[in-house]
Amino acid sequence: MASLTHPFDPDTLYELDGDGNIKISNGSKTGIFTRKGQYISGDIKQADPQLCVWVGNNPGDAMQQMSEGGTSITAKRT
Amino acid sequence: MAEAYKDLDPATMPRSPGLTYQDLLDTDSHDVPDVLRLQSPKDMGVREYPVTRYTTREWHDREVEHLWKKVWQMACREEEIPLPGDHMRYDIAGMSFLVVRTDAGDIKAFPNACLHRGRMLKEFDGNATELRCAFHGFAWHLDGSFCDIPADWDFAHVDKSTFNLPELPVATWEGFVFINPDQNCAPFDDFIKDLDEQFQRWKPATLYKAAHVAKVMPCNWKIAQEAFCEAYHVNGTHPQILRSLGDVNSQVDIWENCARVITPGGTSSPLLDYEVSDQEALRANLDLPHDADVPEIPEGMNLRQYLAERSRENLRPVAGTRVDEYCDAELVDSIDYTLFPNFHPWGAFNGINYRFRPNGNDHRSAIMECIMLAPYEGERPPPAPVVWLEEDQSWSSALGFLGKVFDQDAFNMPRVQEGLESTYQTGVVLSGYQESKVRWLHHKLTEWVGE
Ligand code: FES
Ligand SMILES: [Fe+2]
C-alpha cells in the first residue's frame, strides 16, 4: 500500500487507509482526506492535494475513483 | 515579428544553487555524448503573455487560420501504414486529412473530403484498394488520381484528367509522418533541421510503437502542453519525487524551431533543506512505501550510476549490447524536446513522445497523447493501436507509473482553465529561465498568430 513522508515535511506521513481515503499523521495527530485532498475528519486540517492524488492512485485498485467528476470543467459562461 | 531572443552565458547567468546539469554529467560512468554537452540558454525577456490566448474563441480562430492551417505537424508513424492502401485519418481543429500509403510505396496526404459533394472520404483508419466515397461512389486511386464516377455520362462537364485529390506536402522524420495543410508551406528540412541534428544518436526510426494512449483533457491545448514544458512545477505537482529529482537544476536549451528541458534523475532537489541519503532517494525513485526495504546500492556506485545500471539491464534483452554505449544520463534523465508547435519527442532511450492539439474546434478542451516507442530484436512488432481513455479513466490505468505522474499534471489542468477564466490578471507571469521553453512557445506563437 502506497505511503510516504512529505519531502517538505518529513515528519508527516501520507498513506492510504482501509476506506480508500488518505490518512495523514504527524506524531499523535491525524487527519483523513479524500484522494483529491479534501478534508473529511481529524485534527490535521490541511493536506497537500497532489500527495493525496499520488498516494491514492493505484491502478487496478477497485476502490479507485479518480474521476469523481473533478476532471471536468464547468459549462462555459456566455 | 516578435523581438529576437538573446544568448545567455551559462557561466554567468542566474541559476539555481547546487550542482549544474553539466556538473552531474562529469560524474557519468560512461562517455557523455556531445549532444548532452550542448548548452543554449536564452534570455527570452520578461514579458507577460495574454490570458486570452487560453480563454477566447477569437484567439483559437486565429490559431486555426495562422497556425494549424499553415504549420508542419506530426500526423502518424510510418509503421502504422506499411502496406499499399493503408490509410490513417489525422484531424486538427475541425479539419480532417487522410494519410495514405500508395501502390508505389510512398506516402501521400489529402484533405479527407470527396470532390463531389464533400463527404468525408474515410471515417476510419484501415486498408483500401481505392478511395471511394460512401455517398455517391466517386473514387480516386491511392495516389489521389481520378479513378471513377458512377454514371459518368452525367458529368461530362468535369475534366477527369485534372479531377484529382489535392495533394498536401508530406515528409517523414525518424519514422514519423508529418503533413502540412498549406500547399505553399516552407520546406520541411528547414523546419526539422534543429531537431534532426540533436537526434542523430538516438534514431527513433529504429524503435517501434509499443503503446499509444489518448485522452480529451478539459482545458485549452496549450495548458495541457505547457504542463510538460518545465520541471519547475515538480515541487507543487509531483512532490513525491523531490528526493530523487533535480527539478530546479534542470537545463533549458532553446534553438530556433526546437527546445529542450533536461531534468536530472537520481539527485535530490535543491529545494530540500536537508541532506537526502541515497537510500531515501532510491525509495522515492522506486516509489516504495515508507517502511519497505530498499535495495542496497553496491559499494563504489553513486545513485545515478546504480539507476542507470538497472535500466541498462532492463533494456538489454530487447536492445542488446547497444545498452553498453548508453551513458548514465541517457538512461536516468528526462530529456524532453519540443518541436514547434506541439510535438514532444524525448531524447535518449525511454521512447516517450507527446502530442497536444485542440479537440476539434473547442478551445476549452484538448487531445493529449502519449506515444511510447521501444527497441526490439528481430522483426518489427506491429504498432500498438491508440487507446482512448474515457473521461473517468486515469492515465495510470493505461500507463502505470508514468500515468500516475500524468494524473497529477491532469489534476491541475481544468483548474488552470477555470483559474484563467476567473483571474483579474491580463497576462501570465513566467520565470526567466526555468520556464523559458514556455516563453519560447509563446514567442513562436506571436510570430505565427500575432499578439
Ligand atoms: S503556482 Fe503556478 S499556477 Fe499557481
Ligand atoms: Fe508534470
Side-chain angles (χ1 to χ4, degrees):
Chain A
M1 194 171 281
S3 62
L4 81 160
T5 59
H6 199 301
F8 287 136
D9 183 8
D11 295 331
T12 301
L13 179 69
Y14 284 63
E15 57 194 325
L16 200 54
D17 75 5
D19 300 323
N21 294 316
I22 309 302
K23 179 182 171 194
I24 300 181
S25 41
N26 185 326
S28 61
K29 290 199 164 85
T30 59
I32 304 293
F33 294 81
T34 68
R35 294 176 189 218
K36 289 181 176 172
Q38 190 174 16
Y39 174 77
I40 299 176
S41 64
D43 41 17
I44 294 179
K45 298 273 165 58
Q46 60 183 346
D48 181 334
Q50 287 285 17
L51 266 203
C52 295
V53 169
W54 181 259
V55 170
N57 192 351
N58 298 288
D61 174 350
M63 277 194 304
Q64 182 166 328
Q65 293 289 330
M66 270 303 292
S67 66
E68 296 168 21
T71 56
S72 61
I73 43 175
T74 47
K76 178 75 181 137
R77 297 177 298 271
T78 47
Chain B
M1 190 72 173
E3 205 177 300
Y5 31 95
K6 304 178 199 77
D7 291 337
L8 283 172
D9 180 351
T12 56
M13 60 183 243
R15 60 159 78 229
S16 167
L19 294 171
T20 68
Y21 184 64
Q22 296 298 317
D23 292 337
L24 280 167
L25 292 182
D26 293 340
T27 67
D28 207 288
S29 68
H30 286 54
D31 288 340
V32 174
D34 293 345
V35 64
L36 293 184
R37 289 296 189 183
L38 294 173
Q39 295 187 72
S40 186
K42 298 287 186 219
D43 175 356
M44 309 285 303
V46 293
R47 65 159 294 188
E48 296 180 3
Y49 288 96
V51 168
T52 49
R53 291 187 178 193
Y54 307 91
T55 58
T56 66
R57 178 73 193 189
E58 189 266 334
W59 173 266
H60 169 83
D61 290 343
R62 280 163 58 201
E63 265 181 7
V64 176
E65 279 312 305
H66 302 293
L67 181 72
W68 298 118
K69 287 186 178 177
K70 302 274 183 204
V71 76
W72 284 102
Q73 44 208 290
M74 195 275 282
C76 63
R77 289 280 293 173
E78 283 180 75
E79 67 198 287
E80 292 178 287
I81 45 169
L83 302 172
D86 286 348
H87 54 270
M88 291 206 70
R89 183 175 153 183
Y90 170 69
D91 289 7
I92 182 73
M95 298 172 286
S96 184
F97 300 96
L98 207 50
V99 184
V100 183
R101 180 77 70 172
T102 70
D103 285 316
D106 49 352
I107 296 172
K108 296 211 184 265
F110 314 107
N112 191 2
C114 176
L115 301 189
H116 179 216
R117 278 165 55 192
R119 188 200 192 278
M120 178 180 281
L121 279 170
K122 290 288 173 192
E123 187 175 351
F124 302 109
D125 304 340
N127 184 275
T129 52
E130 60 188 9
L131 304 173
R132 187 172 290 275
C133 180
F135 195 172
H136 307 90
F138 276 44
W140 287 266
H141 296 294
L142 297 175
D143 65 0
S145 59
F146 172 74
C147 174
D148 183 36
I149 294 179
D152 70 342
W153 55 266
D154 212 5
F155 288 88
H157 50 286
V158 170
D159 178 357
K160 318 288 191 307
S161 70
T162 58
F163 202 52
N164 306 322
L165 297 177
E167 238 184 85
L168 304 179
V170 172
T172 57
W173 176 77
E174 289 294 338
F176 292 99
V177 180
F178 287 77
I179 70 165
N180 196 319
D182 178 4
Q183 291 175 303
N184 302 308
C185 64
F188 182 73
D189 288 353
D190 295 348
F191 175 83
I192 201 72
K193 185 168 84 37
D194 289 338
L195 190 73
D196 187 49
E197 280 171 17
Q198 312 270 326
F199 272 74
Q200 288 304 314
R201 174 177 167 84
W202 298 318
K203 293 276 165 236
T206 64
L207 308 176
Y208 84 103
K209 193 176 86 161
H212 187 166
V213 185
K215 186 173 182 180
V216 173
M217 307 306 291
C219 61
N220 183 273
W221 72 277
K222 297 184 294 298
I223 290 173
Q225 164 158 292
E226 290 161 18
F228 294 85
C229 288
E230 38 85 8
Y232 176 52
H233 70 286
V234 169
N235 83 84
T237 302
H238 313 294
Q240 74 283 350
I241 198 69
L242 288 171
R243 293 182 175 104
S244 185
L245 198 81
D247 53 347
V248 298
N249 17 41
S250 296
Q251 178 175 308
V252 187
D253 298 305
I254 310 288
W255 291 276
E256 174 52 37
N257 211 42
C258 79
R260 70 179 182 187
V261 175
I262 309 182
T263 302
T267 181
S268 60
S269 169
L271 297 176
L272 298 181
D273 60 4
Y274 55 93
E275 199 66 37
V276 178
S277 70
D278 277 0
Q279 290 305 112
E280 286 313 298
L282 184 56
R283 179 191 304 285
N285 189 284
L286 301 178
D287 193 28
L288 295 173
H290 77 288
D291 49 2
D293 289 337
V294 178
E296 281 295 325
I297 299 170
E299 274 288 309
M301 254 190 197
N302 67 32
L303 178 60
R304 282 170 62 79
Q305 291 166 354
Y306 173 72
L307 291 171
E309 208 43 49
R310 282 175 69 107
S311 169
R312 263 183 213 103
E313 295 321 309
N314 283 339
L315 279 169
R316 191 179 297 280
V318 284
T321 53
R322 266 185 290 173
V323 298
D324 297 314
E325 294 158 26
Y326 303 168
C327 77
D328 302 338
E330 289 174 292
L331 294 160
V332 172
D333 300 338
S334 310
I335 308 174
D336 180 5
Y337 281 86
T338 297
L339 177 70
F340 185 78
N342 68 332
F343 177 50
H344 305 250
W346 280 39
F349 306 103
N350 64 23
I352 298 173
N353 298 267
Y354 309 131
R355 177 173 62 178
F356 301 91
R357 52 192 159 138
N359 176 34
N361 265 318
D362 181 7
H363 68 279
R364 297 177 86 231
S365 68
I367 298 170
M368 167 173 156
E369 289 163 277
C370 179
I371 298 166
M372 302 291 297
L373 302 181
Y376 58 92
E377 288 271 88
E379 206 175 311
R380 177 183 284 271
V386 57
V387 172
W388 283 88
L389 298 175
E390 300 292 333
E391 183 185 337
D392 62 352
Q393 283 182 295
S394 65
W395 284 92
S396 64
S397 66
L399 289 172
F401 183 84
L402 179 67
K404 277 183 75 170
V405 178
F406 291 179
D407 286 327
Q408 291 180 304
D409 298 304
F411 185 62
N412 293 331
M413 290 174 191
R415 305 291 92 90
V416 175
Q417 183 72 40
E418 290 172 319
L420 288 174
E421 289 173 0
S422 308
T423 187
Y424 281 28
Q425 299 267 82
T426 55
V428 175
V429 177
L430 296 169
S431 78
Y433 176 63
Q434 294 184 81
E435 293 177 311
S436 57
K437 195 204 266 191
V438 180
R439 285 192 178 281
W440 166 78
L441 281 165
H442 279 274
H443 177 94
K444 301 282 292 179
L445 282 170
T446 307
E447 282 182 357
W448 283 74
V449 181
E451 258 313 313

